[in-house]
Amino acid sequence: MLQEIKFDEYTTVVVDCNEKLEHDDLFCILNEYELDRINDNYFRKRKETLRLEGIVFSL
């Protein structure tokens, strides 16, 4: 199921996962590039929806 999780005021993360995810779970599944992208959005005050590739089955 697709889930939209608000990471911060600028970035929303969309992930396809079998389990209900919480905000803290994103730190387990985001890679370094994606975290850098989120930080960049925050500092530039740029809104973005980040869609994760692949499926996360369980944490």
Side-chain angles (χ1 to χ4, degrees):
M1 80 182 140
L2 283 178
Q3 298 177 55
E4 283 191 12
I5 302 169
K6 187 97 168 140
F7 191 88
D8 59 25
E9 59 189 294
Y10 299 106
T11 306
T12 300
V13 177
V14 176
V15 64
D16 190 1
C17 183
N18 298 359
E19 298 179 14
K20 176 81 170 117
L21 298 178
E22 301 295 331
H23 180 272
D24 292 341
D25 297 330
L26 292 177
F27 292 102
C28 297
I29 61 175
L30 292 172
N31 64 36
E32 187 176 328
Y33 168 78
E34 292 159 340
L35 288 170
D36 287 345
R37 180 84 182 225
I38 289 169
N39 287 332
D40 191 48
N41 290 340
Y42 181 80
F43 289 116
R44 294 175 188 255
K45 296 183 176 24
R46 177 179 60 205
K47 292 198 179 268
E48 179 181 21
T49 299
L50 185 62
R51 299 184 191 287
L52 299 185
E53 298 288 325
I55 298 174
V56 178
F57 291 98
S58 64
L59 299 174

